[in-house]
Amino acid sequence: MDVDAPVPIRPLVSGQQNAATILCCNCGAPIDGTSSAGALCYDCVKLSVDISQGIQREATLHFCRDCDRWLQPPSHWLVATLESRELLALCLRKLRGLSKVRIVDASFIWTEPHSRRVKVKITIQQEAFQDTILQQTFEVEYVVASQQCPDCAKSYTANTWRAVVQVRQKVPHKRTFLFLEQLILKHSAHRDTINIREVKDGLDFYFSQRNQAEKFIEFLHSVAPVRTKKSQELISTDIHTSSKSYKFTFSVELLPLCKDDLIALPIKLAKSSGNIAPLTLCFRVGTSINILDPNTLQTADISAPTYWREPFRALADVRELVEFIVMDIEPIGPSKGRFVLAEATVARASDLGSNNTTYFTRTHLGRVLHPGDSVLGYNLTGTNFNNKWFEALEQSSSYASRIPDVMLVKKFYSRKKKNKARNWRLKRMAKDEGELLPKKQDQDKMEQDYELFLRDVEEDEELRSTLALFKAGHAAGAKPEKMEGVEAEGADGAEESSIADDDDVPQIRMEELLDEFDELNMDDQA
């Protein structure tokens, strides 16, 4: 064979070339030498390369125990519950170095609630070498440290409020404020207050921001007939930046009219309100005053702006109610909602056995009254009222003959002398009574007003539907304590008769009651 002759070479076929195989420099496992990085197999890469290096394994979370908020640096406080998405996002933002890797998954690991520890399991991915992506899972432990937020710190410091809402009503009892208090608690309208102080004729609500006070005033306008006045006081000013700091005071005055009040309307106002009779009863107080003529069942609404254009006082309030006994009653047909027109013959309970004086009147209580029942009403016979609108009625030729002798208001349920344990309770706001505690007679009067309000709640289903009532936590078999000053003589017979009397008292069904729960700034009162 000639040396210089060409040698035929067979062409290579694609796919027949074998990959270069080398041994792992660490464990000796065969690997692809063309794609392996650093002459390491995948298992050795996972063991020798830590992609989580530089990421914190421990961190601190700051928590305010007063408002249950978490600190999001630098100065934002976040509301988040345990094991929530918001808290998980806050935990991930607290870690340095996570921005260099890709987060695949993150979840909470359960810890004891009292341990003050939060554990998070994080799964990340990162390219260790060229075309080599590693995935790694590790745990991070957070220590929950207590720190008071600036808002709570300000609330515990005196003279830090920026706005105060002064709610006043010039009436001799607290029934309207008790009702307003329940509405505030039901809608949590007091959650932004830093202090609530009880003063004469009303309450003061303190706020740290002006917009919080304005929001509270909007709520009052939505539930009660009020009028508002605003004033401001300059605290400090900066002459360099022309910035000023003010304290704002909002005066909110409630109409001095309450449920079950006897009202003598100005004749001009009565004619403009559907030509209703001027002598009426107030049967509801909402965003306006709802009045009723018991002789015809005609109703009318008096708005707050209409009232303040020509204000008037109540002719008589619930303190002047007199107990009557129904001798005879007969419905005469017309009805309007829960009111049924009836003609009744009544006698004063104090006159029974001494004289035979009876009164004939029309009433709106034809649905609930029966012969022998007790009823509360206003006795207009021989009563002198220092009221110019009532004097105008007596001098009017059209209305003087239509003034009744008696105006019945509501049915009276006889109760036993000692307090009966109720199966329900109401929540009360935590109020600051100020430096001087109320006198004993004032305290007794407040307890009496609260007891009358509880009876109104029991007897008025429409009023009860607007409140939040809770189940009472009485112990099984517990007996109510006796009232002071009640003698124990003849206790057996008296108790049997009192229990028989209480059978007619309206009872609140358990379906209307809510389960008990704990809430901040609230006290229990039964």
Side-chain angles (χ1 to χ4, degrees), residues 72 78 84-94 108:
Q72 179 178 336
L78 177 70
S84 63
R85 297 179 60 182
E86 294 80 6
L87 184 58
L88 182 60
L90 176 62
C91 293
L92 296 179
R93 281 194 290 265
K94 291 280 290 184
F108 286 99

Side-chain angles (χ1 to χ4, degrees), residues 175 260 410 452-460 463:
R175 292 171 60 217
D260 298 333
K410 61 180 179 180
L452 293 177
F453 175 71
L454 294 181
R455 294 184 181 184
D456 286 342
V457 173
E458 287 179 336
E459 299 170 5
D460 193 343
L463 172 65

Side-chain angles (χ1 to χ4, degrees), residues 352-385:
L352 294 180
S354 59
N355 57 56
N356 296 325
T357 305
T358 59
Y359 304 95
F360 179 79
T361 184
R362 282 190 171 188
T363 179
H364 59 291
L365 304 175
R367 188 185 300 275
V368 296
L369 291 183
H370 304 89
D373 288 346
S374 298
V375 62
L376 297 178
Y378 295 106
N379 186 11
L380 305 181
T381 304
T383 305
N384 294 325
F385 296 103

Side-chain angles (χ1 to χ4, degrees), residues 29-92:
I31 57 175
D32 186 3
T34 61
S35 61
S36 63
L40 293 172
C41 65
Y42 184 73
D43 294 334
C44 292
V45 170
K46 291 194 297 181
L47 293 176
S48 60
V49 179
D50 184 11
I51 61 175
S52 65
Q53 186 177 6
I55 301 177
Q56 293 176 269
R57 300 304 173 95
E58 293 182 353
T60 302
L61 294 175
H62 295 281
F63 176 71
C64 179
R65 292 183 294 181
D66 294 324
C67 60
D68 293 343
R69 294 190 297 176
W70 304 82
L71 175 61
Q72 179 178 336
S75 60
H76 179 66
W77 288 84
L78 177 70
V79 178
T81 58
L82 291 175
E83 299 190 3
S84 63
R85 297 179 60 182
E86 294 80 6
L87 184 58
L88 182 60
L90 176 62
C91 293
L92 296 179

